[in-house]
Amino acid sequence: MIDIEKYLLSVEKPVQYMGNEVNSVHKSEYKVNMCLFFPDIYEVGMSNLGIRILYDILNKVDGFSLERGFSPQEDMEAIMRENSISMFSLESRTPLKEFDVVGFSLSYEMSYTNVLNALDLAGIPFRAEDRTENDPLIMAGGTCTVNPAPMSKIVDYFVIGDGEDVMPEIAKIFVANKDKTKAEKLELIKDIDGVYIPKLHRDKKIKKAIVRNLDNTEFYADQIVPFVKIVHDRVSVEIQRGCTRGCRFCQAGYTYRPVRERTLEKNLALIEKTLKSTGYNEVSLSSLSSSDYSKINPLLSNLQKKYGESNLSIGLPSLRMNPFSVEVAEQIQSGKKTGFTFAPEAGTQRMRDIINKGVTEEDVLETAVGAVKAGWSSLKFYFMIGLPFETDEDLKGIHELVMKVVRACKPFTKKLNITVSISNFVPKPHTPFQWAEQMNIAEMERKHQLLRDVFYRAKHTTLKMHFREKSYLEGFLSRGDEKISDLLEIVWKKGAKLEDHGRNFQFSRWKEAIDELNLDEKDYLGEKSTDVELPWHMVDIGISDKFYISELNKAKEMALTPDCRDNCTGCGMKGRIKECGELVSDNLK
């Protein structure tokens, strides 16, 4: 156990290194131990629902102990390096090097260098080929692993897809085979759905792991209650998984198919147990599209009936853009209205049809007016630029749509404020746009300036735009091949780490590293042929390339694809899971 008490008063937010929070688990007897490491600071990592789920259910496996780890902030890292303190786990402060397995949760590509920093602090070699039996197995899971290639030289095995079933299965295998070598353990898990082992699976297609029925998964009611305020400081319960809308840019919408609902009764039971276990008075009903949950009205009414007098705060982080969403939001925000968020994604109907958003201008205006009439005066709109087949007229359409909203809403409020948030499109793997070209820095700047010009002096609006350099790199990393592992090592040596915090981000060192490796921007950001094998070809998420190509062609024609709950669109998931369409509630069929 590493002694860090004497340093805690010298760092910011020392409680993030203390552990012993409510519902944390401390096992004294086990055969195999694992540290689940989130490569970001504590307040970000502890807001991740996947961490909460896996921590609870894996610690229920006999003979297996799961602890947590998080990236230290700069002040703590300086102390660790100065005093030769190894990277440690939170529960027992055991050095990472002493664990049987160290697993990294990869939910954002820009955190990859944080993985290397943690390994370096732990004294664990970066490359899988350089590690010995004295080093832990290195595992990775999370959304980013649908393209495992960028981290394939670093990670021993990936778990791709849903983790609730496969992770406990692997844990039980490791417990039963504690004394086997690392190579023997990898052989034992290599045929499990979702497991990708770079050394063993060079020529094999890996099927993602899929939880077929959320009702049959272990409850994760004993969620940890941090001592410090975190980004999402509340109970989080996933009411359903997946989305059927088919937005052509949305990686999560495709990779989490099919839609699976937890039943009303199970959701209510999970929420009740979690609130009792944690003492929170706020719950987030998590989903890619919360208002699409078929039992959303009875769920909300039951919660209000049971907890109305205790002032339970309910959050719905993702709502569709229609008047029904306003009605749903009104049910949970009867008091002071804070902000209402919309995501039309594109300013013109032409572009919304290209991306299959399924939202009309009338929907946007009706929803905005409904929200303002209901008491919301602060609205936030999310748009993307750089989408395939976009023109400058489509960019100007963002301003025109927002101005229509202003004119429609102004008669109903005196304090209207609309934040227009602009992100730069990144064509992600396993989407119909995975072959599309991504904007380079110069094109992003040109389009940003165009938007700044048209929004100049636009009343009641605030324009915010995402960092173009980070979007550029996100494209490099998300669509990357094995060479990205080399890029990460070089750029880490130049100081890249925790680049989403403070002033740590420096684009210049990334460009230097890219140039040193002679990486061609067009190989990563350029348009790709549908006939060429992509770096993530080894991962089968259940959707066929034939469907993706069909959707790409329909985008060119501005043709819509219906919600697959209304009519099967033939994406290929039924070929993988014959129950697809039967995994949701009866009234969705």
Side-chain angles (χ1 to χ4, degrees), residues 56 318 335 379 388 502 518:
D56 196 347
S318 180
L379 310 179
N518 294 315

Side-chain angles (χ1 to χ4, degrees), residues 311-380:
N311 295 317
L312 176 69
S313 177
I314 303 170
L316 289 170
S318 180
L319 293 171
R320 291 288 299 170
M321 188 172 297
N322 51 42
F324 173 66
S325 291
V326 178
E327 295 174 15
V328 170
E330 280 192 278
Q331 292 185 58
I332 63 174
Q333 288 196 32
S334 57
K336 181 180 178 182
K337 305 294 196 298
T338 51
F340 202 104
T341 299
F342 306 79
E345 310 294 0
T348 63
Q349 194 59 51
R350 172 183 173 277
M351 280 308 306
R352 288 193 292 275
D353 290 346
I354 284 173
I355 64 177
N356 201 49
K357 183 63 181 177
V359 170
T360 66
E361 183 175 292
E362 183 180 5
D363 293 330
V364 176
L365 295 176
E366 283 188 5
T367 308
V369 170
V372 169
K373 283 183 176 180
W376 280 275
S377 59
S378 179
L379 310 179
K380 186 171 187 177

Side-chain angles (χ1 to χ4, degrees), residues 499-512:
E499 294 195 299
D500 263 0
H501 301 279
R503 300 180 180 178
N504 292 341
F505 179 69
Q506 292 181 24
F507 184 57
S508 59
R509 56 193 170 205
W510 284 92
K511 285 296 290 179
E512 288 172 5

Side-chain angles (χ1 to χ4, degrees), residues 104 106 112 140-149 158-161 196 430 539:
F104 290 95
L106 304 178
Y112 287 173
T143 307
C144 292
T145 61
V146 293
N147 178 14
F158 296 83
V159 172
I160 302 167
Y196 172 62
H430 303 288
V539 176

Side-chain angles (χ1 to χ4, degrees), residues 59-77:
N59 273 315
K60 293 173 181 174
V61 175
D62 288 340
F64 193 83
S65 174
L66 183 72
E67 301 189 23
R68 295 162 294 148
F70 303 95
S71 295
Q73 290 189 269
E74 289 179 284
D75 52 3
M76 176 57 85
E77 180 179 339

Side-chain angles (χ1 to χ4, degrees), residues 221 267-277 303 306-307:
N267 271 324
L268 288 169
L270 177 55
I271 291 167
E272 180 180 12
K273 287 187 176 183
T274 308
L275 290 172
K276 284 183 178 178
S277 172
L303 291 175
K306 185 175 183 65
Y307 300 102

